[in-house]
Amino acid sequence: MPKAPAGTLYRGREGMWSWVAHRVTGVGIFFFLFVHVLDTALVRVSPEAYNEVIHTYQTPIVGLMEAGLVGAIIFHAFNGIRIILVDFWGKGPRYQRQMLVGVGVLWVVLMVPFLVRHLSHVFGG
């Protein structure tokens, strides 16, 4: 059994890191949804202000943030399915590492074509 690093109980295995990544992506998605509801509600208050806010979103930095959001959503969704399988499938804990590798493979398979198309629009038109 690997020894825990000094000052922590965690051993840094795949279960802990997938747990951390799941929480971080969940919080990021929550804050996006919060901002999205606020800026969409702005259209009822002032359509001109809404148009100004939407115009500020049309920058390369926001385009990169959108790519990060899509990556977070894809990881969070597939990792959530993995967590359900670990919790409710009798053999889930035994195959936890392989399922996490599967989550990573699916993430890459979906993100690469998305990034090619999305970033070509963000940086090229």
Side-chain angles (χ1 to χ4, degrees):
M1 174 85 51
K3 195 166 175 131
T8 180
L9 297 174
Y10 298 115
R11 288 174 173 69
R13 306 249 347 218
E14 62 279 345
M16 184 202 72
W17 290 115
S18 66
W19 180 88
V20 169
H22 199 75
R23 295 320 181 269
V24 169
T25 57
V27 168
I29 293 165
F30 171 79
F31 281 118
F32 163 76
L33 290 173
F34 181 72
V35 170
H36 179 65
V37 167
L38 289 179
D39 66 18
T40 303
L42 190 58
V43 77
R44 306 274 288 154
V45 176
S46 169
E48 296 80 22
Y50 172 79
N51 288 335
E52 284 182 40
V53 169
I54 294 303
H55 182 68
T56 63
Y57 290 164
Q58 297 168 344
T59 65
I61 292 172
V62 175
L64 291 173
M65 290 170 48
E66 290 171 340
L69 175 66
V70 170
I73 290 169
I74 291 171
F75 173 80
H76 195 81
F78 286 128
N79 194 52
I81 293 168
R82 184 193 69 83
I83 290 169
I84 290 169
L85 290 172
V86 168
D87 287 347
F88 295 108
W89 179 38
K91 296 179 183 178
R94 186 177 315 145
Y95 295 108
Q96 176 171 209
R97 179 177 288 175
Q98 292 89 338
M99 288 189 291
L100 185 58
V101 168
V103 167
V105 167
L106 286 169
W107 186 86
V108 168
V109 165
L110 292 173
M111 281 301 292
V112 167
F114 166 75
L115 286 174
V116 168
R117 182 164 171 85
H118 180 68
L119 295 178
S120 71
H121 289 299
V122 169
F123 293 111

